[in-house]
Amino acid sequence: MTNLPREKRARLILNTDAKNEADDQFTIVHALLTPTFDFHGIIAAHFGDHRSKTAMEDSRKEIDHLLDLMDLAGRIPVANGAAAALPDEQTAVPSPGAQMIIDEAMKDDDRPLYVAFLGPLTDMASAILMEPRLNERNVICVWIGGGTWPSGGREFNLMNDIAAANVVMRSNVQVWQIPSTVYRMMSVSYAELQERCEDKGPIGKYLVDQLIDWNFRVHKGPIEHRSLGDTPSLSVILNPMGGTYEWRPAPEFSPHMHYIHTGQYRPIKVYDSIDIRYILEDFYAKLARFHRGVQELANFG
């Protein structure tokens, strides 16, 4: 699997609000361990100013830390995204991250470019506003975000840039949406993570420790689980039929985050379910293989 031909690899850019909670980290590591991905970069995303006034910078530090733990520093392109949401639906927030999307999308490559968004759509919207020709390119925007269909309502990733979501939904860029009703079903327990990840080297231990620590600091009352809610963004690329979905006319969003169904925009793919067993077991297996490879290399040395 390490020498897959070009046509068997999926071009990928990952846009992540990595320090927002504790699940992005699992998705970043999973993507890095997946040989099918022709990985073109990671973009550090903001997550509003509710939890931090330096959200994008916090995400960047977390991405760099994960790469350090995996001994991948300097080997994966990393770019900063916008530090804040769009000021309105006509104005881009230029950033190295948005430029990374444009540069990769405009390359002469017949394969789709998947851009997986684990947070707000700021950098996708900015890229579209900066380079309208993206509407004609083979770009697939995979978004973890949006509330319950068909009504909608408050949802964190959407809340952090409603204007950007409207820009993307009104565009001609292909969108695969994974709403909250799907990503909330990705729960794992502490015991599961401790058994499957904690002993898999520094990166495995860090993933478990930071998740438990985040829950301890943020949640009130007893808790011993967490949803790895960003993981479906990889599942739908690796196994597009591993779930149920419908093509529905792209909605707009009201200021209160409700769907507005005008029927005038191109269809988007909306997932209703994900094969949870498949994608979680895929992660555990790849983490275990990575750890064995590191151990074997150390023993050989």
Side-chain angles (χ1 to χ4, degrees), residues 190-289:
Y190 290 177
E192 179 180 358
L193 293 178
Q194 288 164 339
E195 287 295 314
R196 305 297 296 276
C197 302
E198 193 171 43
D199 63 348
K200 302 302 186 293
I203 189 61
K205 187 175 189 308
Y206 178 72
L207 290 175
V208 178
D209 287 350
Q210 61 88 31
L211 183 146
I212 293 174
D213 177 69
W214 196 91
N215 272 359
F216 184 80
R217 289 184 292 104
V218 176
H219 279 275
K220 297 178 180 178
I223 185 171
E224 56 173 83
H225 75 278
R226 186 79 197 153
S227 173
L228 301 186
D230 292 321
T231 303
S233 64
L234 306 183
S235 181
V236 300
I237 302 171
L238 294 170
N239 184 17
M241 301 304 292
T244 59
Y245 62 85
E246 290 185 354
W247 289 93
R248 301 169 185 167
E252 297 176 289
F253 295 98
S254 76
H256 297 291
M257 292 177 274
H258 294 291
Y259 294 111
I260 302 172
H261 301 286
T262 66
Q264 63 180 303
Y265 302 111
R266 52 80 181 89
I268 64 171
K269 183 190 281 189
V270 181
Y271 276 85
D272 299 307
S273 69
I274 290 292
D275 186 341
I276 298 171
R277 188 217 65 83
Y278 157 74
I279 198 60
L280 289 180
E281 288 296 331
D282 185 66
F283 169 69
Y284 296 142
K286 286 171 178 170
L287 183 64
R289 284 185 171 188

Side-chain angles (χ1 to χ4, degrees), residues 31-148:
L32 290 167
L33 296 179
T34 298
T36 295
F37 291 142
D38 186 1
F39 215 147
H40 289 277
I42 305 174
I43 300 171
H46 74 89
F47 44 94
D49 58 5
H50 322 285
R51 294 172 177 160
S52 172
K53 301 302 180 184
T54 57
M56 185 277 292
E57 292 87 350
D58 297 344
S59 292
R60 175 59 188 261
K61 290 177 183 177
E62 186 71 353
I63 294 165
D64 290 341
H65 183 55
L66 293 171
L67 293 174
D68 283 340
L69 287 173
M70 299 179 73
D71 198 24
L72 291 174
R75 297 170 59 184
I76 303 295
V78 183
N80 290 346
L86 300 188
D88 55 61
E89 295 174 7
Q90 291 76 43
T91 307
V93 180
S95 69
Q99 192 62 50
M100 175 186 280
I101 295 171
I102 294 169
D103 291 345
E104 191 59 37
M106 298 305 294
K107 287 182 178 178
D108 185 14
D109 195 317
D110 58 357
R111 297 171 298 166
L113 171 64
Y114 294 94
V115 190
F117 283 82
L118 315 185
L121 287 167
T122 308
D123 298 318
M124 187 74 248
S126 292
I128 293 168
L129 292 169
M130 292 163 64
E131 179 50 90
R133 288 182 296 170
L134 290 190
N135 286 291
E136 304 164 7
R137 306 299 290 180
N138 194 3
V139 177
I140 300 175
C141 171
V142 181
W143 182 40
I144 301 286
T148 305

Side-chain angles (χ1 to χ4, degrees), residues 9-10 177 191 278:
R9 303 186 72 202
Q177 183 193 4
Y278 157 74

